[in-house]
Amino acid sequence: MNDKQQFLIDCTSLIPVIGTLILMKIANDQLVTMVAAYVLCGELLGVLVSRILKLYYIDVVFVWLGGILLWLWYWFGVQPSYIG
């Protein structure tokens, strides 16, 4: 794998991580922040393990899946506590 492909994979892996950090910043709910922190830890652990095992495309799929599912859960699954 050449340096250009590796750089593209690295940048692609960072987009969901940045999105998770943004969600942690804009969400004004302790549950969302806690779940986002766990997802972020899982994403970063997946990137680390895939780099050690040299499975570069697996981490991109894993990180994007975690980020997308987290945002879907936030937009469609979390109800504010004031709604009865």
Side-chain angles (χ1 to χ4, degrees):
M1 179 175 296
N2 62 25
D3 290 337
K4 188 174 183 179
Q5 289 174 330
Q6 184 63 41
F7 180 73
L8 182 64
I9 289 173
D10 290 340
C11 290
T12 309
S13 297
L14 282 178
I15 293 170
V17 171
I18 293 169
T20 303
L21 290 172
I22 290 171
L23 178 62
M24 290 172 71
K25 181 72 175 165
I26 67 168
N28 194 12
D29 188 4
Q30 185 177 4
L31 176 67
V32 174
T33 303
M34 182 184 70
V35 171
Y38 281 117
V39 169
L40 181 63
C41 289
E43 289 174 349
L44 295 175
L45 181 66
V47 169
L48 177 66
V49 169
S50 68
R51 293 297 193 255
I52 291 171
L53 299 176
K54 296 187 185 324
L55 301 171
Y56 299 109
Y57 297 106
I58 298 297
D59 73 335
V60 174
V61 172
F62 177 70
V63 171
W64 273 96
L65 183 64
I68 290 171
L69 289 176
L70 179 65
W71 275 94
L72 288 174
W73 173 76
Y74 175 69
W75 286 110
F76 297 112
V78 178
Q79 297 296 323
S81 58
Y82 58 84
I83 294 178

